[in-house]
Amino acid sequence: MSRVFRLEPGRGARRAETGDGSALGAPRAQGVVVAGYLAPHPPHLIYADNPPQNEPSSTGGWEVLRWAYEDVRRRVRALAPDVLVVHAPHWITMVGHHVNCVPRPRGLSVEPIFPHLFRYHYDFRTDVELAEAMVRQFEASGLVTRAMREPEVRVDYATIGALHMVNPRWDIPVVSISANNNPYFYAEAELGQMEVLGRATREAIERTGRRAVLLASNSLSHLHFDRENELPEDMAREYPYSNDQYRADMRLLETVRRKPSSALRTAIPEHIAASEAETKSGSLTWLLAALDWPDVTGDVLGYGTIIGTGNAVVEWRPNRGADDG
Amino acid sequence: MGEFSGLVAAALVPGMPQLLADRPAPSWADLRVGVERVGQIFLDAGVDTVLMLSTQWFTVLGHQFQLDPNPRGQRVDENWYAYDYGRISYDLRIDTELTEHWADLTAARGMQARRTRYDGFPIDTGTGTCWALLDPGRRFRLALVSCNLYAEFAAIAALGETGVAAARRVGRRVGVVVVTGLSSGLIQRWIEPAEDAIAEPAQDSWNRRMLGALVHGEVEEALSLRDGFAREAGADSQFRALAFLHGAGVLAAPAELLGYGPIWGTGAAVLSWAAETPRSGRES
């Protein structure tokens, strides 16, 4: 397979050039998931960040969360990953799990819910070899899967939001995975299936020899205000939707901070039930399954509300130290 | 423009793009003919503008009104892109005068009415599918409002009511259209059209109960069924479309069922209402 993405010089590039490209064939130098991040995506964060790619401009806002992302950027740079893999709940696929295999997605993403905040010109590179390997691995794991090869499919704001906030330079190749659920109806992701998806993601990464950072593009508690302020970034009007929602988020984050990640197997469904958490779309379960539910605590880098929803930036490093870039 | 303004016709139609398939399942073809028939009924009724709510233009903050006078482009659906029906071209004529009044009247009810006018705004698959069949000749103008996923029944009903009031204010004869599915048993695999069937007999039963109430003009029965239908059949967007029709004053008349069947396991129908007497007069 020809190389369809460019990499910055360095160890990542060396890794990407090696191997036979066969996801289900003989593994080459084994890849690894070096870190996973809970990376919330509300468009307000990009809007507040005022990057040149986004048409609207703001006076800022939601600084604590954005500072947490600045920390993530430094950490990811230090890890020197070959690829960022993101699972996002607003690439909604009603049938199956889809993987974006378009070599260079480019376009304007106008967000239908928040068009006044998010009109983002995206242009990034896909790690097509890994993306195709994931498609094969998902299928081999019994999941309904599709390789998306249509450049005209608009990239959603949850994919862009997490990726931009983690790497605004967009100089690390990407693999983007859809969320197989359907907000038109009642459906939620089956968390058991997300476990399978996470394992298959890890296996594809290992077989292709990639050094990967994973992003779960989810907010936490998800009840929110139903009216917008005249000034969207009016921080005087930004607070938790309810104390119950806030407390549910804190219970989850206390578990993240104090217990090995396996404790989240039960804590996540409880949190969803208590707070309508966006993690019901499955991204966080996928992330932790891909990390193999490591026996480590998570590092909560920041928490804040956005239109009343809870949002946390969290890092899990399964082999802190050993995998440092 | 006809002598009367206000509501002159209405319809409930599916928003799944399978209706545009080159190689349709029998039910998809029947439903397609039903939507095309609605277009003819609207033409015969002298409709100027179609007042539409599509559950696939879903929002979460306030209510959005489309004010781009001419959204045009191609929708490549993020799930169905691999099929011929996954690409939907559209070239819409928005009735901005009516829509401005609609937004004003909505705001006057204390609701948040947000105006949307952005290049590249993605028209949803439901709107694109419906419009390709209902108005291939671009004879009607459109007024579009989003479907707030968290709105209460009364709020969605108010949107229907203010939409018809806005039409009267500007002297339009309107056809009210909701683009919505029924039961939600989406088949979770790639199927051949001939394999399509309503996913669960219980969902089929719920669909038929709701359709029966609407065909017989039993408004209270339909309204009382809605919660159970939403819960037990997983109805599309909790069947908020019913609230829009109710608020617009559509449901008092019996509906004509022009089609019913599965689309990828979900329930889908085409219902048509002809207003008995055109509501006359303009609001001062």
Side-chain angles (χ1 to χ4, degrees):
Chain A
M1 178 179 290
S2 62
R3 291 185 63 219
V4 292
F5 55 89
R6 288 197 299 267
L7 291 172
E8 296 292 295
R11 62 193 284 181
R14 287 197 304 277
R15 281 199 177 83
E17 287 165 354
T18 60
D20 61 8
S22 169
L24 295 175
R28 52 185 163 186
Q30 183 160 308
V32 62
V33 181
V34 290
Y37 292 89
L38 180 60
H41 60 254
H44 307 70
L45 295 173
I46 284 182
Y47 167 72
D49 234 21
N50 286 313
Q53 298 100 322
N54 199 33
E55 292 180 1
S57 62
S58 73
T59 58
W62 301 281
E63 276 76 6
V64 174
L65 280 166
R66 293 194 291 125
W67 294 339
Y69 268 118
E70 287 181 8
D71 193 1
V72 172
R73 292 169 191 173
R74 285 190 291 270
R75 292 176 183 223
V76 168
R77 286 274 147 209
L79 290 168
D82 299 326
V83 62
L84 300 175
V85 183
V86 60
H87 185 278
H90 294 290
W91 177 13
I92 298 161
T93 52
M94 300 163 78
V95 181
H97 306 274
H98 299 221
V99 183
N100 190 335
C101 295
V102 175
R104 188 176 175 186
R106 278 181 285 190
L108 170 64
S109 185
V110 177
E111 163 44 39
I113 297 176
F114 301 100
H116 57 307
L117 304 183
F118 192 89
R119 303 191 300 279
Y120 191 97
H121 295 264
Y122 60 91
D123 181 352
F124 62 92
R125 293 181 184 278
T126 297
D127 182 340
V128 176
E129 184 184 350
L130 176 58
E132 298 279 2
M134 280 191 193
V135 171
R136 293 191 293 275
Q137 199 71 48
F138 294 172
E139 288 173 339
S141 300
L143 299 171
V144 177
T145 308
R146 178 144 271 169
M148 199 285 281
R149 299 191 177 90
E150 298 291 336
E152 293 160 278
V153 170
R154 177 179 60 90
V155 177
D156 66 283
Y157 78 93
T159 297
I160 294 171
L163 288 167
H164 172 94
M165 294 308 294
V166 169
N167 179 34
R169 298 185 202 172
W170 291 93
D171 56 356
I172 303 170
V174 167
V175 174
S176 136
I177 306 169
S178 76
N180 172 216
N181 51 63
N182 185 349
Y184 313 143
F185 304 105
Y186 276 132
E188 300 174 0
E190 294 179 30
L191 295 186
Q193 196 169 116
M194 300 311 295
E195 180 91 33
V196 176
L197 189 77
R199 279 201 300 271
T201 298
R202 181 176 70 248
E203 287 160 7
I205 289 166
E206 288 173 351
R207 286 177 178 275
T208 50
R210 296 297 193 271
R211 182 177 171 83
V213 164
L214 271 48
L215 311 177
S217 178
N218 274 168
S219 296
L220 295 180
S221 61
H222 213 234
L223 293 178
H224 56 70
F225 305 122
D226 60 4
R227 300 175 71 95
E228 187 168 58
N229 302 310
E230 192 67 30
L231 180 69
E233 63 267 38
D234 183 349
M235 290 295 105
R237 296 176 183 277
E238 186 60 80
Y239 47 85
Y241 178 81
S242 71
N243 192 44
D244 286 346
Q245 296 272 284
Y246 177 80
R247 287 291 161 206
D249 285 348
M250 292 307 113
R251 282 196 298 277
L252 183 84
L253 292 175
E254 282 295 333
T255 304
V256 167
R257 293 174 68 243
R258 297 184 187 285
K259 296 185 177 178
S261 70
S262 57
L264 293 168
R265 286 182 190 270
T266 52
I268 289 171
E270 289 170 1
H271 179 246
I272 291 170
S275 69
E276 298 291 337
E278 196 180 26
T279 52
K280 67 185 176 184
S281 71
S283 305
L284 181 56
T285 301
W286 161 83
L287 174 82
L288 291 167
L291 290 166
D292 203 14
W293 300 93
D295 192 25
V296 297
T297 57
D299 194 356
V300 178
L301 304 175
Y303 176 86
T305 63
I306 299 178
I307 60 169
T309 66
N311 295 271
V313 179
V314 181
E315 179 193 68
W316 284 272
R317 292 277 305 282
N319 297 296
R320 187 180 297 277
D323 286 331
D324 287 349
Chain B
M1 183 183 295
E3 182 182 356
F4 302 103
S5 61
L7 174 69
V8 298
L12 177 152
V13 304
M16 296 279 274
Q18 281 77 2
L19 268 58
L20 302 173
D22 289 340
R23 206 167 50 86
S27 60
W28 307 353
D30 287 348
L31 291 161
R32 174 187 178 124
V33 169
V35 181
E36 290 170 340
R37 173 79 185 123
V38 168
Q40 187 59 51
I41 291 169
F42 279 20
L43 197 62
D44 294 344
V47 165
D48 301 310
T49 297
V50 172
L51 208 65
M52 183 186 287
L53 175 141
S54 165
T55 60
Q56 292 184 46
W57 181 14
F58 56 89
T59 53
V60 297
L61 284 180
H63 307 279
Q64 291 186 38
F65 294 84
Q66 180 58 258
L67 278 161
D68 181 344
N70 182 210
R72 58 187 182 279
Q74 186 181 59
R75 167 80 168 186
V76 182
D77 186 90
E78 60 271 29
N79 186 75
W80 305 111
Y81 50 81
Y83 297 90
D84 61 281
Y85 49 80
R87 290 175 176 273
I88 304 163
S89 296
Y90 57 87
D91 184 356
L92 310 179
R93 295 193 302 140
I94 300 297
D95 188 337
T96 54
E97 183 189 13
L98 190 160
T99 306
E100 286 281 6
H101 282 275
W102 191 4
D104 286 345
L105 289 173
T106 301
R109 295 285 189 93
M111 299 160 66
Q112 190 166 44
R114 308 169 71 207
R115 289 163 168 81
T116 295
R117 183 177 178 175
Y118 300 104
D119 288 344
F121 184 89
I123 295 296
D124 66 278
T125 293
T127 296
T129 299
C130 166
W131 211 240
L133 299 175
L134 194 145
D135 189 30
R138 301 183 78 240
R139 298 159 298 189
F140 309 127
R141 284 174 287 182
L142 257 174
L144 300 172
V145 68
S146 68
C147 180
N148 187 311
L149 287 178
Y150 305 124
E152 299 292 336
F153 185 94
I156 300 290
L159 291 175
E161 189 179 344
T162 54
V164 173
R168 290 197 194 109
R169 181 174 281 189
V170 297
R172 300 286 196 276
R173 296 168 65 83
V174 291
V176 169
V177 172
V178 291
V179 182
T180 182
L182 301 177
S183 60
S184 69
L186 197 87
I187 297 170
Q188 282 297 319
R189 61 186 174 85
W190 307 111
I191 61 170
E192 289 300 314
E195 297 178 74
D196 206 354
I198 302 282
E200 300 284 344
Q203 294 186 348
D204 184 38
S205 175
W206 270 105
N207 292 336
R208 290 176 187 275
R209 285 177 70 187
M210 177 58 78
L211 292 172
L214 295 172
V215 163
H216 292 104
E218 295 166 350
V219 183
E220 294 308 318
E221 173 70 1
L223 297 177
S224 70
L225 284 174
R226 191 187 75 102
D227 281 350
F229 182 46
R231 187 177 57 253
E232 302 299 329
D236 184 349
S237 301
Q238 297 173 298
F239 212 42
R240 286 186 167 81
L242 188 72
F244 191 77
L245 293 170
H246 184 55
V250 170
L251 297 181
E256 182 182 1
L257 184 63
L258 300 179
Y260 170 67
I263 303 179
W264 217 277
T266 68
V270 179
L271 289 171
S272 170
W273 287 263
E276 318 103 341
T277 307
R279 276 74 167 160
S280 61
R282 302 180 186 203
E283 290 188 348
S284 56

